[in-house]
Amino acid sequence: IPPERIRNFSIIAHIDHGKSTLADRLLELTGVISKTGKNKQVLDKLKVERERGITVKAQSVSMFYEHKGQRYLMNLIDTPGHVDFSYEVSRSLAACQGTILLVDAAQGIQAQTVANFYLAFGEGLSVIPMLNKVDLPTAEPERAAKQIESAFEIEADRILKISAKTGLGVEQVLPAVIEQTPPPSGSEDKPFKALLFDTWYDTYVGVVCLMAVKDGSIRRGDKIVSSHSGTKYEVMEVGVMHPEQTPTTQLRVGQVGYIVCNMKSIAEAHVGDTFYRDKFPVEALPGFVPAKSMVFAGVFPIDAGEFDRLNESIQKLTLNDSSVSVHKETSAALGQGWRLGFLGTLHMDVFRQRLEEEYDTNILITSPTVPYQIKYRDGTFKFIRTPADFPDANVMNDYVESTMEPFVTSTLIFPEKYLGSMLELCTAHRGELQNHTFIDESRVMLKCRLPMAEIVTDFFDKLKSKSQGFASFDYEEAGYDASDLVKMEVLLNGEAVDALAAVMHKSSVVVAGREIASRLKDVIRRQLFDIIIQTTANGKIVARETVKQLRKNVTAKCYGGDITRKMKLLNKQKEGKKRLKRIGKVDLPHEAFLTIVKRA
Ligand code: GDP
Ligand code: MG
């Protein structure tokens, strides 16, 4: 098939607007999968994707389609819908020339619709708008079409109205893609040049590289070179996703397909890398800015003896998700573990779920933090991934010029009647309002700058509850700014408990300090001496609680008489003590401790 009859396209949508369902219908329509009525999100391969109904890993599939008497090769590149994975979205888009912007006709434009539209628009793709779920009684296609017109300047009468569920109008989808998407540019006669945009590890063949061929062609036995590393590889297999890996004799200009070459580990496959034929170097395509970890959390085995097994599971999982960063971490209270970095909180949740399934034992995940930065007076910077890295009070006073935290620009879309509560929510989270506009008579789009730290915990839940589920939210990173940060520490009888330390904005310290002190007071059992719980910020005390000593002697019940009974009781007490975790000089039941450290 010549490049003129190839279309590389994707579907972008807000979560749940029906992207995976539409993909299923298109695969049925082109005979890639049979019409059994049982196909549910065929491209969502991971178990957690199916369970949570989100797409985590982009999948791609090739289909043939007859249009006006000609056979077309249609490459559908699936993209994740969630904001945490916008990095994966943009790299999938780099392999396409067009994209379907799918909008739920009942819900209308949502925050991720806007974010995804701008990603695609920025890549220079043709955007083909479609309204889905027109079968729903609550669908308001005219209204949603108007929103698309006013938000994206796309004529409303150009918008297809379909139902991916019932199949209504789905036969018009591929013709629209063919007519409105340009074929890939590039030349068969030029030397081979391909963009690596996805990679995974396959148990049978090893590292698989998904590539978009920009020029030339490639077949088994050819030698290719990575622009990034200069390493030479021999091509062992080429093929297309149909929907599984299906070998072909070659991959030609304009095609999207996979290449297996003799890469030893997935670390050699740099997403965004350009490959060329050995001895025919080409100018490299612009690569991707690597994904940045924005949310960090500590992961520890509850039973220290399980460290090695957990280590193995983490390694196995990160093999296919290079966006998770891994550093070893040791805590006096929790033992040996890891500091893992994620793209966002959903990414973290998905990883945790996969880890728990894979590993099948309880693990402890500490509450999430964001990467702070310290600027020293000598002009140097330091990243703070864990509270232990934060300078202590003396260093703060003598050497630190400023503390900085990451910010995001967020987009909120909601019905007008929630404007008041949404503004309140943003203000309460240290947000700085940028502007708000109406996308139709009664829907507001609000832009607000927020500290990243404010959205990693319960912001999203609050947003949903304050808007009765009607507000949607998306964000993009917006750099670092100076901010008054302090390290909060928790002391038990004067000794700091490392796992309870946290970095936070000065304004949160009093509330957070009091809360953790009173929660600790509730879980610490009385002992034979008073236990003083203190929380401090930059060395100053912000809250204090006391667990009074146990007055009654354990042997009091013995009336001084029976010595064996007394011994028995004392032994019992000793045994109980064994199960306690010693934190500082204070015995704290391990389970109680866990309930404090665990994320809310
Ligand atoms: P994704 O998150 O964009 O991939 O959305 P899914 O394809 O997983 O669909 C989300 C939910 O909407 C599922 O429960 C689908 O069955 C449902 N859905 C998808 N398309 C339609 C449609 O055209 N009509 C109706 N009524 N439901 C749909
Ligand atoms: Mg999906």
Side-chain angles (χ1 to χ4, degrees), residues 19-20 41 44 53-55:
K19 193 182 56 198
S20 303
Q41 289 108 12
D44 297 349
I54 53 162
T55 308

Side-chain angles (χ1 to χ4, degrees), residues 292 294 296 370-376 379-386 389-391 396 400-407 479-486 503:
K292 265 181 280 173
M294 291 312 286
F296 289 86
V370 300
Y372 295 107
Q373 252 187 75
I374 301 286
K375 186 178 181 191
Y376 291 100
T380 56
F381 289 86
K382 180 184 178 189
F383 265 106
I384 306 295
R385 292 190 183 83
T386 158
D389 295 338
F390 200 81
M396 281 296 283
V400 172
E401 178 169 312
S402 60
T403 48
M404 308 205 287
E405 67 178 321
F407 281 77
Y480 278 77
D481 253 335
S483 184
D484 259 331
L485 302 174
V486 293
V503 176

Side-chain angles (χ1 to χ4, degrees), residues 15-21 41 53 132-133 135-136 163-165:
I15 196 154
D16 277 349
H17 282 198
K19 193 182 56 198
S20 303
T21 310
Q41 289 108 12
N132 188 31
K133 309 200 186 180
D135 62 296
L136 286 177
S163 166
K165 190 172 175 181

